[in-house]
Amino acid sequence: MLDKVKELIGDVQAFKATSKEEVEAFRIKYLGSKGLLKDLFAEFKNVDAELRKDFGQALNNLKKSAEKKVTELNDALESATEDKGVYGDLTRPSEPINLGSRHPISLVKNQIIEVFNRIGFTVSEGPEIEDDWHNFTALNLPEYHPARDMQDTFFIEKNPDTLLRTHTSSVQVRYMENNEPPIRTISPGRVFRNEDISARAHCIFHQVEGLYIDTDVSFADLKQTLLYFTKEMFGKSKIRLRPSYFPFTEPSAEVDIYWGLETETDYRITKGTGWLEIMGCGMVDPNVLKNCNIDPTKYSGYAFGMGIERIAMLLYQIPDIRMFYENDKRFLEQFKSVI
């Protein structure tokens, strides 16, 4: 009987397993309620008195060996399973990473910012929910001014008026209130107007507006800045300025670039003229400077503004402004290769 126990100890120490099921079967065989150890302990009373000490020690060794073997095998299998679950086969080829792309509006906005950064314009930002003062009144648009009708917007509450901003000119007002000239900044951001949604218009769109305030700033400075921008952005070196009206600039102008008439698309987007409107501009009205606590007798400046969607539609020949907001992956994936 003692030799049988010693043989079982050797079997336990030599046992190996590749699954938890095998370990459990081993545990039941030796340590279960109907296992070998229970039967051997039941035989203990039948062992000769002079052998009981050695037999008892052997049984204890067998029990400890079986328990230790079960613990070691379970730990080893759990460790192997965890490594495989977390890391898998570390020698396998890596999974391809599905790269996304920037939205075309972000691409164009970043291009515009980069162009103006080269000539010293910083970037300023402001809230999308504005009060009447910063969105209208400070910009020479007092209450009941008819020009407000051009910017029919979304009001959040009345008394006092709180609304979704209709242009990023409100950011320029805030910047002038908190900074002294010289000021040279651009204000990109999302704006809102109560427009009928169509292929060419949307109630949500993005603008970049620029502002330069200093001593002896002239319209010639404005024209040279815009010429530089059109060359860098479009590669076009011919622009024209048509007289226009904006409440916050005087004089004011619309800026056209000569797009050319080389393709059928050129004829369509320029209506056969070759000229294409891209932005509005003008010299900052003295009343706007006064409203922002800047002395108009000492300082002058110019401002300009453009719609980012309009620029993106020109650069990428996108026919419908609604495509920017539909989140169609087939449309967005076309810009993966664009830096």
Side-chain angles (χ1 to χ4, degrees):
M1 187 65 71
L2 183 59
D3 291 338
K4 181 181 178 180
V5 174
K6 291 181 179 179
E7 182 182 344
L8 290 173
I9 293 173
D11 292 343
V12 167
Q13 293 175 345
F15 177 75
K16 295 181 180 179
T18 58
S19 68
K20 289 191 174 184
E21 289 77 11
E22 293 178 4
V23 177
E24 181 62 14
F26 172 83
R27 187 194 67 78
I28 293 172
K29 177 181 177 181
Y30 285 92
L31 302 171
S33 59
K34 297 181 181 180
L36 291 175
L37 272 166
K38 185 171 183 180
D39 292 341
L40 289 171
F41 275 109
E43 288 290 330
F44 185 77
K45 60 184 177 180
N46 299 323
V47 176
D48 294 338
E50 64 272 13
L51 296 176
R52 284 185 180 179
K53 181 179 179 181
D54 293 337
F55 187 72
Q57 290 177 346
L59 283 179
N60 285 330
N61 287 337
L62 176 60
K63 182 180 179 182
K64 291 179 180 179
S65 296
E67 291 174 343
K68 182 179 179 182
K69 178 61 70 171
V70 170
T71 302
E72 288 177 349
L73 290 173
N74 278 329
D75 289 346
L77 289 172
E78 286 179 6
S79 178
T81 303
E82 182 180 349
D83 289 346
K84 185 176 181 180
V86 175
Y87 302 108
D89 181 6
L90 297 181
T91 64
R92 76 190 187 287
S94 62
E95 293 291 334
I97 299 174
N98 188 19
L99 295 176
S101 63
R102 290 188 182 274
H103 195 279
I105 292 176
S106 296
L107 290 170
V108 174
K109 180 187 73 173
N110 292 341
Q111 284 182 267
I112 295 171
I113 290 173
E114 182 183 357
V115 170
F116 284 107
N117 275 344
R118 294 178 203 154
I119 53 176
F121 281 81
T122 60
V123 176
S124 54
E125 297 180 338
E128 292 182 352
I129 299 176
E130 268 295 2
D131 54 51
D132 181 274
W133 170 259
H134 291 96
N135 197 81
F136 290 127
T137 307
L139 289 164
N140 213 28
L141 280 161
E143 191 176 3
Y144 306 119
H145 193 292
R148 286 197 181 200
D149 293 339
M150 296 189 299
Q151 298 188 26
D152 190 9
T153 187
F154 300 99
F155 282 85
I156 296 174
E157 63 181 15
K158 301 287 287 182
N159 298 320
D161 286 344
T162 305
L163 62 150
L164 299 179
R165 68 184 181 189
T166 61
H167 45 199
T168 57
S169 300
S170 58
V171 181
Q172 297 177 344
V173 173
R174 290 181 177 274
Y175 195 88
M176 285 189 284
E177 287 176 339
N178 294 288
N179 295 272
E180 295 183 359
I183 292 171
R184 187 179 297 182
T185 185
I186 55 173
S187 307
R190 184 170 55 176
V191 299
F192 310 83
R193 295 184 188 179
N194 187 15
E195 301 273 0
D196 292 331
I197 298 175
S198 66
R200 305 295 293 177
H202 208 287
C203 61
I204 302 172
F205 57 100
H206 296 75
Q207 282 187 332
V208 174
E209 298 201 22
L211 176 70
Y212 179 41
I213 306 291
D214 204 346
T215 56
D216 301 321
V217 178
S218 68
F219 205 92
D221 298 320
L222 169 60
K223 185 175 181 180
Q224 191 61 37
T225 299
L226 298 178
L227 182 61
Y228 167 80
F229 169 73
T230 55
K231 285 181 179 179
E232 294 295 309
M233 195 72 186
F234 303 104
K236 310 292 184 180
S237 58
K238 190 174 181 181
I239 65 172
R240 70 180 183 187
L241 281 74
R242 292 179 289 106
S244 185
Y245 167 75
F246 301 108
F248 30 83
T249 54
E250 180 61 37
S252 305
E254 301 283 359
V255 182
D256 301 335
I257 60 171
Y258 188 72
W259 195 259
L261 293 171
E262 298 179 4
T263 67
E264 182 179 343
T265 301
D266 294 342
Y267 277 89
R268 178 175 56 81
I269 65 176
T270 66
K271 299 179 180 179
T273 66
W275 289 95
L276 192 62
E277 179 186 324
I278 59 168
M279 71 172 81
C281 67
M283 301 301 293
V284 179
D285 192 291
N287 286 336
V288 175
L289 297 178
K290 286 181 182 177
N291 290 336
C292 298
N293 300 316
I294 295 176
D295 185 359
T297 63
K298 180 178 179 182
Y299 295 103
S300 58
Y302 61 72
F304 55 85
M306 69 195 86
I308 298 178
E309 281 85 347
R310 182 173 180 81
I311 304 299
M313 291 172 75
L314 293 174
L315 289 176
Y316 300 129
Q317 297 296 293
I318 298 170
D320 194 321
I321 193 173
R322 291 170 290 193
M323 298 176 74
F324 292 120
Y325 304 101
E326 292 173 345
N327 292 324
D328 190 329
K329 290 181 67 176
R330 295 170 298 176
F331 169 70
L332 297 175
E333 285 178 349
Q334 298 177 68
F335 300 93
K336 279 188 175 181
S337 60
V338 181
I339 299 176

